[in-house]
Amino acid sequence: MKGVTLNWSFWLFPLFVIIFWIAKEIFFAFFLGFVLGIVIQNFSNYLSLKTKIPYLILVFFLYIFLVLFITFLIYSIFKIITNEFPDFYSRVNDILKTYGLKLEKVTNWQENIFEFTKSYFPNFILFIYSIFGNFISFLLVFVVSLYVALDRNLEKNIFSFIPEEKREELFNLWFRVKRRLSFWIFGQIFLMLIIGLGTFFIITIFNLPYKILISITAGILEAVPILGPTITALLAGFIALINKPSSFLLVLLLFFLLQQIESHFLVPLVMKNAVKLNPLLVLFSLLIVGKLFGFWGVVSVLPILVIITEIFNYFLSKNKLKLNKNAG
């Protein structure tokens, strides 16, 4: 019988690894949705106690605000790009003229798109699949977080399946993990504020337009490691090239420096104080997980580290307590 069990374990583990690797984006998105839902649940509970506003109404308005805010942000960025693109085109042409080059206007865009798609069909399909897949993953994060936030009795329902003798201990552990995740969110909000202010300072130095919008965008995109700061730098560079071409390279350089300070100094330092994570562990984990799992791994690595560290500390303190009692 033990041989059969060992045989099943031997085959199930690699099977689980393969399934996880294939559907890693879905697993990470589901995990992030659950974490976000728990944090929103805690925040709504706190506000409900302080303001006496019904819990479900707070959750509803919080999600409506998030959807409207993100929609407005995307619309505003799209409007900036579409409004400024003619000037961008002429500016690039002016720069290229100094080198004897010129951008040709596309006269038959339908034929050009067809030729491009035909020539690079496999890469084009992979690009569309990547965008669609990431959109589905973002949607999954939203749906899962909404479901978790609306189900106020989710924890009771989950813990009802746990044997009674283990229930209290696991509930205490879960309470510690949930509290630490809330600290992580507060640390993330602090980072968003710092990056938003840093962006505002850089854009103010060069007196570029849209400073408030770009600063808010930079703060929000801080929640998306690597990709978020890159998008912000490109947007600021786009505006600089149109309005002050001479400052284009300097603006990109300052945003690059801000990104390096954020990823190698601010994130480890803030997370050390907010969730008691070692800065070297944070930096190492971001690099390794980003290399292995890409975008969704990088976004998920900090809450995963928070949970693992809190579980480890809980059992470590429990064992120390047992050893002290035995020694006494």
Side-chain angles (χ1 to χ4, degrees):
M1 199 73 176
K2 287 183 179 179
V4 175
T5 305
L6 181 61
N7 189 42
W8 272 105
S9 302
F10 178 79
W11 286 107
L12 281 176
F13 179 73
L15 181 62
F16 173 77
V17 171
I18 292 170
I19 293 172
F20 174 79
W21 186 261
I22 293 172
K24 55 183 179 291
E25 289 88 358
I26 295 174
F27 282 107
F28 282 127
F30 190 91
F31 168 76
L32 283 173
F34 184 81
V35 170
L36 182 61
I38 288 296
V39 171
I40 290 175
Q41 193 181 87
N42 287 347
F43 184 63
S44 299
N45 273 324
Y46 175 79
L47 287 180
S48 182
L49 289 172
K50 292 293 183 181
T51 62
K52 306 304 179 183
I53 299 173
Y55 172 83
L56 291 178
I57 292 177
L58 285 171
V59 171
F60 174 77
F61 278 110
L62 184 58
Y63 272 93
I64 290 294
F65 171 77
L66 286 174
V67 170
L68 291 176
F69 182 77
I70 293 171
T71 303
F72 169 76
L73 204 60
I74 293 172
Y75 168 77
S76 299
I77 293 172
F78 179 76
K79 191 174 180 181
I80 288 173
I81 293 172
T82 53
N83 287 345
E84 300 289 340
F85 191 79
D87 291 332
F88 174 77
Y89 178 86
S90 62
R91 288 290 187 186
V92 172
N93 255 335
D94 290 340
I95 294 170
L96 291 176
K97 280 178 185 176
T98 61
Y99 300 97
L101 301 172
K102 184 181 178 182
L103 282 177
E104 297 294 334
K105 288 188 177 180
V106 178
T107 54
N108 192 347
W109 61 271
Q110 291 154 327
E111 184 179 336
N112 277 272
I113 289 176
F114 176 75
E115 288 297 325
F116 174 82
T117 306
K118 186 174 69 173
S119 302
Y120 302 97
F121 186 74
N123 292 333
F124 182 74
I125 292 298
L126 285 174
F127 176 70
I128 296 298
Y129 173 78
S130 174
I131 292 177
F132 182 74
N134 283 321
F135 174 75
I136 293 297
S137 297
F138 275 115
L139 190 62
L140 182 60
V141 171
F142 179 81
V143 171
V144 171
S145 68
L146 181 60
Y147 174 80
V148 172
L150 288 175
D151 191 354
R152 204 173 185 179
N153 297 317
L154 180 67
E155 293 172 2
K156 292 180 181 178
N157 295 333
I158 293 174
F159 279 97
S160 64
F161 293 99
I162 298 172
E164 194 170 346
E165 61 273 12
K166 293 286 185 181
R167 194 176 300 166
E168 184 178 354
E169 180 182 11
L170 288 175
F171 186 81
N172 290 334
L173 175 58
W174 170 241
F175 177 78
R176 290 179 55 156
V177 168
K178 193 167 66 168
R179 183 182 61 178
R180 194 62 66 186
L181 285 173
S182 297
F183 291 156
W184 165 69
I185 286 291
F186 288 132
Q188 191 63 55
I189 291 171
F190 178 75
L191 284 171
M192 292 164 74
L193 289 172
I194 292 294
I195 295 301
L197 290 172
T199 301
F200 183 82
F201 177 73
I202 292 173
I203 294 176
T204 302
I205 289 175
F206 297 99
N207 196 28
L208 298 175
Y210 310 112
K211 62 180 72 174
I212 298 295
L213 180 60
I214 297 175
S215 301
I216 293 173
T217 303
I220 297 298
L221 291 178
E222 164 59 24
V224 185
I226 301 173
L227 182 62
T230 303
I231 293 173
T232 303
L234 290 175
L235 182 62
F238 175 79
I239 299 300
L241 188 61
I242 295 168
N243 294 275
K244 291 191 175 180
S246 59
S247 65
F248 171 69
L249 291 177
L250 190 55
V251 167
L252 287 183
L253 176 63
L254 288 177
F255 271 96
F256 174 76
L257 290 175
L258 181 63
Q259 183 180 355
Q260 295 305 306
I261 292 170
E262 178 262 346
S263 59
H264 293 94
F265 178 72
L266 285 177
V267 170
L269 186 63
V270 170
M271 290 305 153
K272 177 187 176 183
N273 290 289
V275 291
K276 310 300 180 186
L277 289 177
N278 187 289
L280 288 177
L281 177 64
V282 173
L283 185 58
F284 181 76
S285 300
L286 284 169
L287 294 173
I288 295 298
V289 174
K291 186 71 174 177
L292 290 174
F293 301 108
F295 168 75
W296 287 104
V298 171
V299 176
S300 306
V301 66
L302 283 177
I304 290 173
L305 278 177
V306 168
I307 293 171
I308 292 174
T309 305
E310 195 60 32
I311 292 172
F312 176 79
N313 289 336
Y314 175 81
F315 284 106
L316 184 65
S317 61
K318 184 181 174 182
N319 289 333
K320 281 183 179 179
L321 187 62
K322 282 184 179 179
L323 288 173
N324 289 336
K325 283 184 178 180
N326 293 332

PDB file of all heavy atoms in Angstrom, residues 233-246:
ATOM      1  N   ALA A 233       8.187  56.237 -18.332  1.00  0.00           N
ATOM      2  CA  ALA A 233       9.355  56.872 -18.945  1.00  0.00           C
ATOM      3  C   ALA A 233       9.118  57.143 -20.434  1.00  0.00           C
ATOM      4  O   ALA A 233       9.471  58.219 -20.937  1.00  0.00           O
ATOM      5  CB  ALA A 233      10.581  55.981 -18.766  1.00  0.00           C
ATOM      6  N   LEU A 234       8.507  56.192 -21.125  1.00  0.00           N
ATOM      7  CA  LEU A 234       8.215  56.381 -22.555  1.00  0.00           C
ATOM      8  C   LEU A 234       7.203  57.510 -22.773  1.00  0.00           C
ATOM      9  O   LEU A 234       7.336  58.306 -23.709  1.00  0.00           O
ATOM     10  CB  LEU A 234       7.683  55.079 -23.160  1.00  0.00           C
ATOM     11  CG  LEU A 234       8.701  53.941 -23.293  1.00  0.00           C
ATOM     12  CD1 LEU A 234       8.017  52.675 -23.778  1.00  0.00           C
ATOM     13  CD2 LEU A 234       9.827  54.335 -24.239  1.00  0.00           C
ATOM     14  N   LEU A 235       6.195  57.576 -21.910  1.00  0.00           N
ATOM     15  CA  LEU A 235       5.186  58.633 -22.024  1.00  0.00           C
ATOM     16  C   LEU A 235       5.811  60.003 -21.784  1.00  0.00           C
ATOM     17  O   LEU A 235       5.559  60.958 -22.537  1.00  0.00           O
ATOM     18  CB  LEU A 235       4.051  58.374 -21.018  1.00  0.00           C
ATOM     19  CG  LEU A 235       2.886  59.365 -21.041  1.00  0.00           C
ATOM     20  CD1 LEU A 235       2.192  59.340 -22.398  1.00  0.00           C
ATOM     21  CD2 LEU A 235       1.886  59.042 -19.926  1.00  0.00           C
ATOM     22  N   ALA A 236       6.655  60.094 -20.740  1.00  0.00           N
ATOM     23  CA  ALA A 236       7.324  61.370 -20.455  1.00  0.00           C
ATOM     24  C   ALA A 236       8.283  61.738 -21.579  1.00  0.00           C
ATOM     25  O   ALA A 236       8.389  62.914 -21.970  1.00  0.00           O
ATOM     26  CB  ALA A 236       8.068  61.271 -19.125  1.00  0.00           C
ATOM     27  N   GLY A 237       9.007  60.741 -22.117  1.00  0.00           N
ATOM     28  CA  GLY A 237       9.906  60.993 -23.240  1.00  0.00           C
ATOM     29  C   GLY A 237       9.152  61.449 -24.475  1.00  0.00           C
ATOM     30  O   GLY A 237       9.619  62.332 -25.215  1.00  0.00           O
ATOM     31  N   PHE A 238       7.991  60.877 -24.701  1.00  0.00           N
ATOM     32  CA  PHE A 238       7.127  61.256 -25.828  1.00  0.00           C
ATOM     33  C   PHE A 238       6.736  62.732 -25.731  1.00  0.00           C
ATOM     34  O   PHE A 238       6.836  63.491 -26.698  1.00  0.00           O
ATOM     35  CB  PHE A 238       5.899  60.348 -25.798  1.00  0.00           C
ATOM     36  CG  PHE A 238       4.840  60.668 -26.814  1.00  0.00           C
ATOM     37  CD1 PHE A 238       4.979  60.276 -28.142  1.00  0.00           C
ATOM     38  CD2 PHE A 238       3.691  61.358 -26.443  1.00  0.00           C
ATOM     39  CE1 PHE A 238       4.001  60.568 -29.080  1.00  0.00           C
ATOM     40  CE2 PHE A 238       2.702  61.656 -27.370  1.00  0.00           C
ATOM     41  CZ  PHE A 238       2.859  61.255 -28.692  1.00  0.00           C
ATOM     42  N   ILE A 239       6.322  63.156 -24.528  1.00  0.00           N
ATOM     43  CA  ILE A 239       5.927  64.556 -24.306  1.00  0.00           C
ATOM     44  C   ILE A 239       7.141  65.478 -24.430  1.00  0.00           C
ATOM     45  O   ILE A 239       7.054  66.577 -25.003  1.00  0.00           O
ATOM     46  CB  ILE A 239       5.269  64.712 -22.916  1.00  0.00           C
ATOM     47  CG1 ILE A 239       3.996  63.860 -22.809  1.00  0.00           C
ATOM     48  CG2 ILE A 239       4.948  66.170 -22.630  1.00  0.00           C
ATOM     49  CD1 ILE A 239       2.929  64.207 -23.807  1.00  0.00           C
ATOM     50  N   ALA A 240       8.292  65.035 -23.902  1.00  0.00           N
ATOM     51  CA  ALA A 240       9.502  65.864 -23.964  1.00  0.00           C
ATOM     52  C   ALA A 240       9.961  66.056 -25.405  1.00  0.00           C
ATOM     53  O   ALA A 240      10.380  67.153 -25.796  1.00  0.00           O
ATOM     54  CB  ALA A 240      10.619  65.224 -23.140  1.00  0.00           C
ATOM     55  N   LEU A 241       9.892  65.011 -26.221  1.00  0.00           N
ATOM     56  CA  LEU A 241      10.332  65.096 -27.612  1.00  0.00           C
ATOM     57  C   LEU A 241       9.493  66.088 -28.405  1.00  0.00           C
ATOM     58  O   LEU A 241      10.004  66.765 -29.304  1.00  0.00           O
ATOM     59  CB  LEU A 241      10.263  63.710 -28.256  1.00  0.00           C
ATOM     60  CG  LEU A 241      10.865  63.574 -29.664  1.00  0.00           C
ATOM     61  CD1 LEU A 241      12.354  63.897 -29.641  1.00  0.00           C
ATOM     62  CD2 LEU A 241      10.623  62.190 -30.215  1.00  0.00           C
ATOM     63  N   ILE A 242       8.211  66.197 -28.059  1.00  0.00           N
ATOM     64  CA  ILE A 242       7.317  67.113 -28.770  1.00  0.00           C
ATOM     65  C   ILE A 242       7.528  68.560 -28.316  1.00  0.00           C
ATOM     66  O   ILE A 242       7.636  69.475 -29.136  1.00  0.00           O
ATOM     67  CB  ILE A 242       5.846  66.712 -28.538  1.00  0.00           C
ATOM     68  CG1 ILE A 242       5.576  65.348 -29.164  1.00  0.00           C
ATOM     69  CG2 ILE A 242       4.889  67.746 -29.122  1.00  0.00           C
ATOM     70  CD1 ILE A 242       4.268  64.720 -28.754  1.00  0.00           C
ATOM     71  N   ASN A 243       7.599  68.765 -26.988  1.00  0.00           N
ATOM     72  CA  ASN A 243       7.619  70.126 -26.452  1.00  0.00           C
ATOM     73  C   ASN A 243       9.022  70.690 -26.259  1.00  0.00           C
ATOM     74  O   ASN A 243       9.237  71.881 -26.447  1.00  0.00           O
ATOM     75  CB  ASN A 243       6.863  70.139 -25.114  1.00  0.00           C
ATOM     76  CG  ASN A 243       5.388  69.843 -25.280  1.00  0.00           C
ATOM     77  OD1 ASN A 243       4.593  70.725 -25.557  1.00  0.00           O
ATOM     78  ND2 ASN A 243       5.007  68.584 -25.101  1.00  0.00           N
ATOM     79  N   LYS A 244       9.985  69.824 -25.839  1.00  0.00           N
ATOM     80  CA  LYS A 244      11.359  70.288 -25.622  1.00  0.00           C
ATOM     81  C   LYS A 244      12.323  69.202 -26.076  1.00  0.00           C
ATOM     82  O   LYS A 244      12.858  68.448 -25.253  1.00  0.00           O
ATOM     83  CB  LYS A 244      11.587  70.633 -24.149  1.00  0.00           C
ATOM     84  CG  LYS A 244      10.819  71.865 -23.685  1.00  0.00           C
ATOM     85  CD  LYS A 244      11.286  72.315 -22.324  1.00  0.00           C
ATOM     86  CE  LYS A 244      10.598  73.616 -21.922  1.00  0.00           C
ATOM     87  NZ  LYS A 244      11.026  74.074 -20.592  1.00  0.00           N
ATOM     88  N   PRO A 245      12.541  69.107 -27.386  1.00  0.00           N
ATOM     89  CA  PRO A 245      13.389  68.025 -27.923  1.00  0.00           C
ATOM     90  C   PRO A 245      14.797  67.999 -27.330  1.00  0.00           C
ATOM     91  O   PRO A 245      15.379  66.925 -27.189  1.00  0.00           O
ATOM     92  CB  PRO A 245      13.437  68.339 -29.421  1.00  0.00           C
ATOM     93  CG  PRO A 245      12.242  69.190 -29.685  1.00  0.00           C
ATOM     94  CD  PRO A 245      12.009  69.973 -28.442  1.00  0.00           C
ATOM     95  N   SER A 246      15.323  69.159 -26.967  1.00  0.00           N
ATOM     96  CA  SER A 246      16.688  69.208 -26.427  1.00  0.00           C
ATOM     97  C   SER A 246      16.807  68.500 -25.073  1.00  0.00           C
ATOM     98  O   SER A 246      17.895  68.081 -24.679  1.00  0.00           O
ATOM     99  CB  SER A 246      17.150  70.662 -26.291  1.00  0.00           C
ATOM    100  OG  SER A 246      16.274  71.377 -25.430  1.00  0.00           O
TER     101      SER A 246
END
